[in-house]
Amino acid sequence: MIETLHWPVNGWWNALDSATHYASMPMYDRPETRAANDRLWQLTRHALGFGPAALSRPNDDLTAHWMHPDLVLSQTCSLPFRTALKGQVQLVGTPVYDLPVLPGAYFSVIVARMLDAPIEAARVAINGPESQSGWAALWEFYQSLGTRPGRIFQTGAHARSAKAVADGVADIAAIDAQTWALIKRYDRFSDSLVELAQTPPTPALPFICGRNVDAGKVQNALKWAIAELDEADRRSLRFLGLVEALETDYTTLPVPADPVTLDIPLQILANG
């Protein structure tokens, strides 16, 4: 059970210059969830007693944003957490989403336009090669079948991957289960898609902070903020809680082959 904590909003924490600190929640931030994410951050900031007045919403280099030593809070994918960000950030905790798995886990959903969609030599859409759910899970899915895709389309986002399948540009895609739930809730094109399979669960996308920030205090503040969310925001974000995890829960996961090193045609699709 999470106890309600009472945090000082004055004192030496407030002596920190908020202008030098950063926070973001980029992984599941879409127009329909933006206000709820903002309120979650304001609760977290209130509990901490410091931090930026508003969330950053970087559009380009997330890795540089994540690696800033004064990053107060953000969420990254587990693949960059165990590769590019390894040793550069601190683990705050693992989210619990409204998913049919153990708390702190998630999985990918393999989607297609039809149940008998081709798997071998299929055209696959991936959000990016640095994605656990969009690429690593898909590559392991193919390896388990002893085959491989025929062509890879890189879309830049899970929603664009799902849309590429719905539009017939690609045959299948692997979509983060939390993202897929939001796509089904808000995007009408999802009506034309079916679920072919679910990949084995792995730890959900970790919350992180920079090296200059006290990760324990951020964890406690985020737990308090989650407990204080109203039910409408909790349903909007599908966010149930936070569990403590070890870095090794993530770093021991295999790192997939980079698509550019494979003998598979790769095409980057323009945003749109």
Side-chain angles (χ1 to χ4, degrees):
M1 185 178 78
I2 299 175
E3 296 180 355
T4 299
L5 304 177
H6 300 281
W7 299 86
V9 293
N10 295 306
W12 70 274
W13 274 125
N14 280 335
L16 291 170
D17 181 7
S18 295
T20 67
H21 289 80
Y22 306 89
S24 63
M25 295 186 182
M27 294 293 98
Y28 305 112
D29 194 43
R30 49 181 295 155
E32 300 88 351
T33 61
R34 180 172 182 146
N37 275 324
D38 287 338
R39 286 188 286 270
L40 177 60
W41 166 244
Q42 291 305 322
L43 287 167
T44 306
R45 180 174 182 257
H46 173 77
L48 276 174
F50 81 100
L55 290 172
S56 298
R57 288 184 163 89
N59 294 319
D60 43 18
D61 191 352
L62 271 173
T63 300
H65 170 77
W66 285 327
M67 291 180 68
H68 198 288
D70 293 320
L71 178 72
V72 178
L73 179 66
S74 189
Q75 188 176 24
T76 185
C77 178
S78 69
L79 184 51
F81 180 75
R82 65 184 185 269
T83 54
L85 301 180
K86 187 176 181 180
Q88 304 299 313
V89 299
Q90 299 183 80
L91 178 62
V92 170
T94 298
V96 179
Y97 293 117
D98 186 11
L99 296 171
V101 285
L102 292 175
Y106 86 138
F107 54 92
S108 295
V109 179
I110 309 296
V111 301
R113 291 186 308 284
M114 59 192 78
L115 289 173
D116 59 350
I119 300 296
E120 186 173 359
R123 300 168 301 164
V124 302
I126 68 170
N127 53 336
E130 69 291 338
S131 173
Q132 168 65 33
S133 53
W135 170 241
L138 182 66
W139 182 243
E140 289 186 16
F141 172 74
Y142 266 96
Q143 289 194 307
S144 72
L145 298 176
T147 185
R148 56 171 44 200
R151 177 177 291 273
I152 299 171
F153 293 107
Q154 185 173 321
T155 67
H158 274 307
R160 288 197 288 269
S161 293
K163 185 68 161 54
V165 175
D167 290 344
V169 175
D171 299 310
I172 66 171
I175 310 297
D176 169 331
Q178 168 77 347
T179 300
W180 176 236
L182 295 172
I183 289 173
K184 288 192 295 181
R185 179 189 290 173
Y186 296 118
D187 296 322
R188 293 185 62 182
F189 69 77
S190 64
D191 293 341
S192 64
L193 298 175
V194 297
E195 300 180 14
L196 292 184
Q198 295 180 356
T199 64
T202 58
L205 281 64
F207 280 97
I208 59 170
C209 67
R211 289 172 293 175
N212 292 348
V213 178
D214 188 324
K217 290 184 181 296
V218 176
Q219 181 189 90
N220 287 336
L222 182 56
K223 284 182 177 180
W224 181 86
I226 296 166
E228 292 296 308
L229 275 175
D230 66 31
E231 281 307 307
D233 285 346
R234 192 182 310 281
R235 288 193 300 270
S236 175
L237 299 176
R238 299 170 44 83
F239 200 175
L240 305 182
L242 192 74
V243 295
E244 297 182 26
L246 300 174
E247 288 196 14
T248 52
D249 293 333
Y250 293 94
T251 57
T252 53
L253 295 172
V255 175
D258 190 319
V260 300
T261 67
L262 301 172
D263 188 22
I264 301 174
L266 171 66
Q267 180 180 347
I268 297 176
L269 297 183
N271 296 346

